[in-house]
Amino acid sequence: MDIYMQAAIEEAEKGRAEGGIPIGSVLVHEGRIIGRGHNRRVQQGSAILHGEMDALENAGRLPARVYREAVLYTTLSPCPMCSGAIALYGIPKVIVGENETFMGEEGWLRARGVEVDVRQDARCVHLMREFIAACPELWNEDIGV
Amino acid sequence: MDIYMQAAIEEAEKGRAEGGIPIGSVLVHEGRIIGRGHNRRVQQGSAILHGEMDALENAGRLPARVYREAVLYTTLSPCPMCSGAIALYGIPKVIVGENETFMGEEGWLRARGVEVDVRQDARCVHLMREFIAACPELWNEDIGV
């Protein structure tokens, strides 16, 4: 069991329990979780708080050095916005729960030198499949469709 | 005088007056400003509220159709995160105040079909040159350097 992916999944589950979109993320530096978050579109009426963005925001202002030594865990393949944030801060490694239900900008990240490790975790897939079946319009809104 | 770029510049000036980073943005739909904002790194201790992100957040949750008919004005060339948000929502046109002091992901946006119009507005350049000279470390933090 990867404790960091487990923490990201717990964030996703918390979001679902709040009536939101079940995507969670944690930012890890030197083995320690320094930011955690989940999608808050529904909870805060937010157009920008995807899970990864929420984790980065909750980590607060950090020196460039910390980002460059950090690993971002996310339950779902990161969309263009979240991938752009990863690129902006030069986060070198992203661990992705799954990309079966949504394929983000993994190719673009890899082309920029980011290591992207996709786990295809059955729990992450299940969270998204259940949600997309229950709330297809909300999911489309979150990915600009 | 472009009233939308003028509004973005006023946002940037407001940010500078607050002790923040002078970058502003407005989202325009059918000739009306539906979201406006400025960089809030200093004001809110935010790692994600660049000017463009703040404008998108303040516009609130919108249907995909609105984004696809919108124009985003920003005083500075959009960084990877903000460019990713533009791509996520399929905003077809971005008007950029200047790219002399910072070159964002304009090439990537154009490759994705986004129209990017750079004005090289002297007021935008002046705002950034003054700020970068006064607060180089804060500026580096904002662009992950």
Side-chain angles (χ1 to χ4, degrees), chain B residues 18-38:
Chain B
E18 292 165 356
I21 301 172
I23 305 168
S25 177
V26 298
L27 185 67
V28 176
H29 182 245
E30 294 181 344
R32 202 166 59 85
I33 294 175
I34 58 171
R36 61 173 70 215
H38 53 267

Side-chain angles (χ1 to χ4, degrees), chain A residues 40-91:
Chain A
R40 297 190 195 263
R41 175 173 295 274
V42 172
Q43 297 93 321
Q44 294 191 21
S46 176
I48 65 170
L49 285 174
H50 277 188
E52 300 91 323
M53 304 296 286
D54 193 43
L56 290 170
E57 185 69 336
N58 291 336
R61 291 171 57 182
L62 298 170
R65 177 188 61 79
V66 174
Y67 291 114
R68 290 174 195 278
E69 298 169 351
V71 181
L72 186 75
Y73 287 74
T74 174
T75 56
L76 184 65
S77 185
C79 84
M81 172 175 67
C82 299
S83 297
I86 291 160
L88 169 64
Y89 288 120
I91 297 171

Side-chain angles (χ1 to χ4, degrees), chain B residues 54-67:
Chain B
D54 194 45
L56 290 170
E57 185 69 335
N58 291 335
R61 289 171 58 182
L62 298 171
R65 177 189 61 78
V66 175
Y67 291 113

Side-chain angles (χ1 to χ4, degrees), chain B residues 70-122:
Chain B
V71 181
L72 186 74
Y73 287 74
T74 174
T75 56
L76 184 65
S77 186
C79 84
M81 173 175 66
C82 299
S83 297
I86 291 160
L88 169 65
Y89 287 121
I91 298 171
K93 187 169 179 174
V94 181
I95 313 289
V96 174
E98 61 106 353
N99 64 11
E100 282 181 23
T101 66
F102 175 79
M103 174 56 87
E105 295 293 319
E106 295 174 12
W108 182 71
L109 284 172
R110 288 196 180 99
R112 293 181 73 112
V114 178
E115 184 183 342
V116 181
D117 177 1
V118 183
R119 297 282 167 87
Q120 303 300 22
D121 186 303

Side-chain angles (χ1 to χ4, degrees), chain A residues 1-10 25-33 71 73-74 95:
Chain A
M1 171 63 70
D2 179 325
I3 59 169
Y4 307 117
M5 185 55 74
Q6 177 63 31
I9 291 171
E10 286 168 8
S25 177
V26 298
L27 185 67
V28 176
H29 182 246
E30 295 182 342
R32 201 166 60 85
I33 293 175
V71 181
Y73 287 74
T74 174
I95 313 289

